[in-house]
Amino acid sequence: MEDWSECLDVAVQIARRAGQVVACAAQQEKRVSSKSTPTDLVTETDHQVEELIISTLRHRFPSHRFIGEESSAAGVKCELTDSPTWIIDPIDGTCNFVHSFPMVAVSIGFAVRKELEFGVIYHCSDGTLYTARRGHGAFCNGARLHVSRERDVSKALILTEIGAKRDPATLDIFLGNMRKMLSAPTHGVRIIGSSTLALCHIASGAAEAYYQYGLHCWDIAAAAVIIREAGGCVIDTSGGALDLMSRRVVAAGTREIADYIVKQLQPINYGRDDSDPDGLA
Ligand SMILES: O=P(O)(O)O[C@H]1[C@H](O)[C@@H](O)[C@H](O)[C@H](O)[C@@H]1O
Ligand SMILES: [Mg+2]
Ligand SMILES: [Mg+2]
């Protein structure tokens, strides 16, 4: 088995450096614009940090390929090939960043032959670092991570995110899905504004499950490795295998809770990262 540990070491270094740039910029004046919808925000720091990460990695690994949130928004094709590929969200939780709400992260995933090999997620406001390498466990600041083993959904805390669409039909489905989770009943539902940090809470056992329509491959890639290596499952909302480009996911500590959520959800169509990046088809 190839050893990608050198790439992981470089990913940790650049995630920390990028996270410090984000933390510093969080205190400054921000120039904010929007992308696919008025609530899909982006700042100059998103662009600066993605450029810092990709230029550093490209210099070190010139034969590798890169998928970045802001490069994709600028029209660069979002294509996962068999080549070693870095999958980057420079600021996950940009709306939180704009409001100085602390749930903001840098996420760096890495795949080879379309298989996720490692993930690094750095929580910018407190320096917490989540890492995992396929077959080698998941860690938070060096301490081993384990998912919740809860199988009873009535004892579960469920996390989700809203996504960028706010049209009435989408909101009806989103709220209908949340209503199903609340009336299961579960212990509760939480939305923190950063899918990567929410997914890290599944890996740490702080919550039992996560579901979402509307996130992207760069929100899922790193976190999927961290959850799997913490003993959890990361699947498609259909109950099948995760499709990294499908803009939908269910993740849970136990398959029982994942399967329960799959049965409850009504789908929201956001298109695909590799064919319809704005999901406005
Ligand atoms: O754009 P960033 O990188 O901030 O990612 C967020 C998405 O924008 C949201 O739609 C989505 O719902 C999640 O909140 C995700 O973290
Ligand atoms: Mg982002
Ligand atoms: Mg994101």
Side-chain angles (χ1 to χ4, degrees), residues 132-171:
R133 186 154 71 101
R134 184 166 65 91
H136 293 264
F139 300 86
C140 175
N141 293 341
R144 196 75 188 247
L145 286 175
H146 298 284
V147 294
S148 164
R149 302 312 312 162
E150 185 55 63
R151 292 183 290 175
D152 179 351
V153 74
S154 71
K155 298 189 177 75
L157 192 59
I158 310 291
L159 309 186
T160 188
E161 289 292 323
I162 301 167
K165 289 182 179 177
R166 295 287 192 280
D167 60 279
T170 297
L171 288 179

Side-chain angles (χ1 to χ4, degrees), residues 138-265:
F139 300 86
C140 175
N141 293 341
R144 196 75 188 247
L145 286 175
H146 298 284
V147 294
S148 164
R149 302 312 312 162
E150 185 55 63
R151 292 183 290 175
D152 179 351
V153 74
S154 71
K155 298 189 177 75
L157 192 59
I158 310 291
L159 309 186
T160 188
E161 289 292 323
I162 301 167
K165 289 182 179 177
R166 295 287 192 280
D167 60 279
T170 297
L171 288 179
D172 284 347
I173 300 171
F174 171 81
L175 294 170
N177 285 336
M178 186 175 286
R179 181 188 180 90
K180 286 181 192 161
M181 296 303 135
L182 291 170
S183 54
T186 61
H187 275 178
V189 176
R190 301 285 186 273
I191 297 175
I192 65 172
S194 164
S195 45
T196 63
L197 288 177
L199 288 162
C200 285
H201 290 319
I202 306 306
S204 72
E208 276 63 44
Y210 180 98
Y211 69 92
Q212 190 185 347
Y213 295 94
L215 73 178
H216 294 275
C217 59
W218 44 80
D219 293 312
I220 301 172
V225 188
I226 294 167
I227 292 171
R228 285 170 176 159
E229 289 300 315
C233 61
V234 185
I235 61 175
D236 185 66
T237 50
S238 65
L242 174 69
D243 174 350
L244 191 58
M245 296 294 167
S246 67
R247 299 197 62 187
R248 59 196 211 182
V249 71
V250 172
T254 60
R255 186 72 201 219
E256 290 85 350
I257 289 188
D259 288 342
Y260 175 87
I261 292 173
V262 162
K263 288 193 189 73
Q264 301 304 315
L265 293 178

